[in-house]
């Protein structure tokens, strides 16, 4: 059996972030979530997700800056 693909969801909207991870979990993905850029970058470096879905405008950074760092 193939390993589940890991998806990291980064967003400051708690309801949207939790809803998205719940739907992706139901579809068979392994989901991680982060509420800001700093914790999202840390999670990405630690868990090496296959895909990162993120908000472009976060309180502590932008999605573009996160992409550059990762």
């Amino acid at each position: 059996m193939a390993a589940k693909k890991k998806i990291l969801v980064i967003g400051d909207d708690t309801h949207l972030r939790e809803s998205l991870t719940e739907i992706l979990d139901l579809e068979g993905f392994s989901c991680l979530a982060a509420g800001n850029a700093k914790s999202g970058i840390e999670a990405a470096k630690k868990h090496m997700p296959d895909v990162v879905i993120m908000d472009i405008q976060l309180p502590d950074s932008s999605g573009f800056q996160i992409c550059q760092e990762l």
Side-chain angles (χ1 to χ4, degrees):
M1 183 174 169
K4 287 183 174 184
K5 296 291 184 183
K6 288 185 281 187
I7 299 177
L8 171 61
V9 179
I10 306 172
D12 60 331
D13 182 322
T14 305
H15 179 71
L16 180 60
R17 185 179 66 245
E18 290 175 355
S19 296
L20 185 54
T21 58
E22 184 178 333
I23 290 167
L24 291 168
D25 278 332
L26 291 172
E27 290 296 321
F29 295 98
S30 174
C31 293
L32 306 161
N36 59 46
K38 182 180 179 189
S39 62
I41 291 167
E42 290 171 0
K45 290 180 178 179
K46 181 178 179 182
H47 299 285
M48 300 298 290
D50 297 295
V51 174
V52 178
I53 299 172
M54 74 185 96
D55 193 347
I56 294 298
Q57 295 180 332
L58 295 164
D60 58 337
S61 187
S62 78
F64 299 113
Q65 289 173 325
I66 296 170
C67 286
Q68 287 179 331
E69 185 162 345
L70 296 179

